[in-house]
Amino acid sequence: MGELTEKPILFQQVSKEDYIKTLLEKHHTSEAFANALTEMLTAIGNGLHDTEPRTEASTTPTTIKEWMHEHLVYQLK
């Protein structure tokens, strides 16, 4: 995405506790939402979406880069 938008992408990994604290204090979410979102993102990071093998029938020929160029980049520039 950084290449397509010509803008730097910054990423900083934080602990689950710090993420939940930020959701609660800065985004005013409920504790239940903060915990559920953290659990979901942890599951995704642990391979949740890798449970089914990618096949020609289940996978689009469009690359993520092509999709971003067609649908996202113009909104970010």
Side-chain angles (χ1 to χ4, degrees):
M1 191 180 322
E3 177 185 326
L4 293 174
T5 62
E6 298 175 347
K7 296 180 180 181
I9 304 288
L10 304 176
F11 173 80
Q12 179 180 355
Q13 189 164 349
V14 297
S15 69
K16 291 178 189 179
E17 295 78 16
D18 286 345
Y19 184 65
I20 290 171
K21 182 179 177 182
T22 298
L23 288 171
L24 294 172
E25 295 177 2
K26 293 188 178 182
H27 300 287
H28 310 289
T29 68
S30 69
E31 188 172 347
F33 177 83
N35 286 321
L37 181 59
T38 302
E39 288 176 17
M40 180 187 72
L41 294 174
T42 299
I44 291 169
N46 289 335
L48 174 69
H49 295 301
D50 298 332
T51 57
E52 294 291 326
R54 293 173 59 93
T55 66
E56 190 173 311
S58 69
T59 305
T60 177
T62 306
T63 66
I64 189 68
K65 188 174 181 178
E66 290 169 336
W67 181 87
M68 286 190 302
H69 187 268
E70 292 174 16
H71 300 281
L72 187 64
V73 172
Y74 71 93
Q75 295 180 23
L76 300 175
K77 282 194 170 189

